[in-house]
Amino acid sequence: MSNPSSGPETQARALAPSAPAVVPAHCPHTLAFHATSYRRFLWKVVCDATDGSAWFYAWMILLTAFALTGLHAWAVQVRDGLVVTGLSDHVSWGLYIANFTFMVGLAAGGVMMVIPAYLYHDHEMHDLTIVGELLAVAAIVMSICFVVVDMGRPERFWHMFPVVGRFNFPVSMLTWDVLVLNGYLGLNLHICGYLLYMRFRGERPNPRWYVPFVYLSIFWAISIHTVTAFLYSGLGGRPLWNTALLAPRFLVTAFIAGPAFIIVLLFALRRFGGMRLTERPVQVLVNIVRVTLLINLLMVASELFTDLYSGGAHTASVHYLFFGLHGANALVPWIWSAVAMGLASAVMFLRPGVVGHPVWLTLACVLAFVGIWIEKGMGLIVPAFIPSTLHEIVEYFPSLVEWQVMAGIWAWGLLILTVMLKIALPILRQPHPVVP
Amino acid sequence: MNRRTALKAIGATLGAAAFAQAIAPLTQWTEDLTIDDYLQKHYKELSPFDLGVVMARMEKETKEATGVDVHIGDYRPQPGVKFGYALNLSVCVGCRRCAKACHVENNHDRPSGNSYIRVLEMQKGSLDLAKGRVNYDHAVPDAEKFYMPVQCQQCDKPPCVSVCPVEATWKEADGIVVVDYNWCIGCRYCEAACPYHARRFNWKKPEVPAAEINPDQGYLSNRLRPQGVMEKCTFCLHRSRQGKLPACLEACPTGARVFGNLLDPESEIRWVLKNKRVFVLKEDVGTQPSFFYFFDV
Ligand code: SF4
Ligand code: SF4
């Protein structure tokens, strides 16, 4: 809906008659100016987000249908209790918390675009950092949703807020997680919103207003996943989690899943969003995945070695996961398919010319992504509860409700991501403001 | 209005209708919620007067829902008391009457047969929990086995308490770890943290037939629990803080259970700690239980 006849420069001047004829970089505007200009920006955002081809509408309707099905399943769960899930006192966390963990990783992985762009001053990556940050925003929203649907009393959410509730800080790792997740969400919203608004106005963004936040977000990304890992590794009663390697492993898998998702997303944006895409950013992402994939394999092997070579009762969960225990083996197919996907994607990623083969690369990314999703879920959250702390073996099978809620949240996340990208792309397509 | 805008309007209307349909179960659920219940403060922040009002309200609600007159009391820790429990594994026969008594005393959900106590049938010659099982069903005792009931160990360093994000669970001055059922958000982090499988979650609203409801209730112990919150053994604080013994102890036919004040040098539990070979479960996880096991040797 942008009007090509009046460039952003003219708009800016028309809106601020008192401003000098040529708007210099970092020109301070009055609040009144921003009030009008920001309203126009928001209006454009709304128009962009709701206009599109028939394909766009079909995609949005599909996602909405899934999201609403999930919402309904969750509403039933709230009414009837978590008894409608496959969870029990033995396996008290399942699909929801598994997805939560994975989503935090995806959010942290989104920032992987930022590191090469800013730490190594790779200018070609700058535009794409916004894609990574928008992914982070969607993933954080999804991870918060996954926590909410896991709550037995979601209406008491306010008990978690500082001041009005009772915030068990700094003792409970979960309160830390609430803080860092919301902080990360705020950071990314600020960076994306600011850059896009400046682009819309045709002004050069003032580095003071975003560069410090960008650097902060890099550390913050690491912190969200580290804190989430501490959530589990701090529990002495669950040997599977009680390992110092958990946080590094979380980070490494995040830095596989994030870039893998972004590669596929970039291809999709080139195909459906008319985005210009050179080989260079994809190459950078592929290089990241190559390294992290290998580190991950090394870490998994080290952990398995400690667990299986030394033996003992505390390795029962690992045995259950990989080989089954006393005839119970629900997770065995899951974990071996994750292993197979991890290995297959590693082989594909390590081939020299992989960047030149978008189809193979996409397949490799999907395999890596799904493999890690299984490993973080069925391979990490669930087996820690089997056998239970009194060594009872009670297996867990997610119920239909859980799958529906999960699909709903995924659809909701993709919906948010689509809308945000829809808004961002036209703004990004505008020519860069002149560099002085 | 052009065609596109009209389509958008229709789409939005349909979407809103579908949304309302999707969340319809929530409206059925909120019928049970009252604003008082929703805004109720944390137990520790209620003044004695407010707490009285809250308990009266709960008694009234129970009366309306079940027709039963219950009494809910607020029993506070007594000064100079720290409760401890000891269990004689040489005489426990694995009859599970303690678990049954707990079920009745604490108004547990009937269909699931819930109880705070699990009795493990263990292989003689080993304390390896992996060699025990809870779902034995034959005449007891089996001469090849010994029996080990496990319930909340009322740890001095309770991991369940430190992980709770909203302080809905805490350790009281007399050593009992409690849950405020009206403050818990049902995240089940504490259940994941407890190394003794001592916590129970209300996956649905507990069902207790009116005739079987135990009317002597404590705010922090055996009152009827709402759906979606955590609960656990409280050493029957509505009894023990009034000088009575926990229900599991009274039910035990062999006298395997010893309960008392760890701070009182004359108490039976102190005698046990002094004269028997005592051990605690999973000492290595650092929880420092107030629940002890011993053998007559
Ligand atoms: S046994 Fe479990 S529930 Fe009881 S105090 Fe210890 S950690 Fe908490
Ligand atoms: S389930 Fe309730 S008591 Fe347990 S950690 Fe969560 S809020 Fe606290």
Side-chain angles (χ1 to χ4, degrees), chain B residues 41-114:
Chain B
K41 285 192 283 194
H42 189 280
Y43 171 81
K44 289 187 191 168
E45 280 162 21
L46 291 168
S47 67
F49 177 78
D50 289 342
L51 189 62
V53 173
V54 166
M55 291 191 297
R57 186 189 85 219
M58 288 170 177
E59 287 170 358
K60 191 167 137 269
E61 280 168 5
T62 311
K63 175 80 182 166
E64 280 164 8
T66 64
V68 181
D69 285 305
V70 301
H71 171 254
I72 302 179
D74 173 39
Y75 305 100
R76 302 269 165 160
Q78 298 159 2
V81 175
K82 168 129 183 348
F83 286 121
Y85 216 138
L87 203 146
N88 188 343
L89 295 176
S90 299
V91 301
C92 174
V93 291
C95 65
R96 289 186 283 212
R97 285 201 207 152
C98 51
K100 181 87 180 80
C102 173
H103 175 75
V104 173
E105 175 69 31
N106 288 304
N107 289 315
H108 277 303
D109 178 51
R110 291 301 185 257
S112 61
N114 201 4

Side-chain angles (χ1 to χ4, degrees), chain B residues 196-249:
Chain B
Y196 303 98
H197 191 68
R199 292 193 161 238
R200 303 285 181 272
F201 188 66
N202 287 284
W203 302 94
K204 61 180 174 56
K205 200 171 166 39
E207 290 168 31
V208 191
E212 295 176 22
I213 291 176
N214 175 5
D216 300 325
Q217 303 179 355
Y219 183 89
L220 290 175
S221 59
N222 63 339
R223 69 179 161 99
L224 298 169
R225 270 83 60 191
Q227 170 176 304
V229 302
M230 196 57 72
E231 54 169 297
K232 65 181 287 299
C233 162
T234 59
F235 282 173
C236 288
L237 63 78
H238 53 283
R239 301 169 57 100
S240 50
R241 282 180 182 170
Q242 297 194 94
K244 289 192 258 176
L245 291 164
C248 47
L249 187 147

Side-chain angles (χ1 to χ4, degrees), chain A residues 195-361:
Chain A
L195 289 180
L196 290 177
Y197 177 51
M198 283 321 220
R199 260 304 177 81
F200 160 78
R201 291 235 318 270
E203 284 178 40
R204 272 177 68 72
N206 183 347
R208 268 216 341 247
W209 285 108
Y210 74 100
V211 172
F213 296 99
V214 168
Y215 286 109
L216 185 60
S217 78
I218 294 174
F219 293 103
W220 210 286
I222 293 174
S223 80
I224 57 170
H225 220 21
T226 309
V227 170
T228 309
F230 287 172
L231 209 86
Y232 308 110
S233 63
L235 304 184
R238 305 264 169 208
L240 185 74
W241 291 339
N242 198 218
T243 150
L245 207 51
L246 204 65
R249 265 188 72 191
F250 269 32
L251 283 171
V252 167
T253 48
F255 293 161
I256 300 171
F261 189 90
I262 293 172
I263 293 174
V264 177
L265 184 61
L266 291 180
F267 285 158
L269 289 179
R270 179 170 65 182
R271 178 90 178 65
F272 303 106
M275 198 184 72
R276 280 165 289 139
L277 177 65
T278 55
E279 217 171 67
R280 169 102 185 98
V282 179
Q283 182 70 56
V284 172
L285 290 173
V286 166
N287 288 346
I288 294 172
V289 177
R290 277 179 176 160
V291 177
T292 45
L293 260 174
L294 293 182
I295 301 179
N296 186 41
L297 286 177
L298 176 71
M299 287 187 176
V300 173
S302 317
E303 284 218 293
L304 279 181
F305 176 79
T306 332
D307 277 333
L308 298 179
Y309 195 79
S310 63
H314 68 283
T315 64
S317 289
V318 175
H319 269 281
Y320 169 72
L321 177 61
F322 280 89
F323 311 109
L325 203 62
H326 305 309
N329 50 18
L331 294 186
V332 175
W334 286 97
I335 193 65
W336 285 107
S337 50
V339 170
M341 287 181 201
L343 289 175
S345 68
V347 170
M348 292 161 89
F349 264 107
L350 289 175
R351 285 191 350 176
V354 64
V355 180
H357 296 91
V359 177
W360 279 102
L361 184 52

Side-chain angles (χ1 to χ4, degrees), chain B residues 163-166 168-169 179 184-190 199 230:
Chain B
V163 298
C164 178
V166 294
T169 182
V179 180
C184 168
I185 59 174
C187 67
R188 309 186 300 293
Y189 196 3
C190 53
R199 292 193 161 238
M230 196 57 72

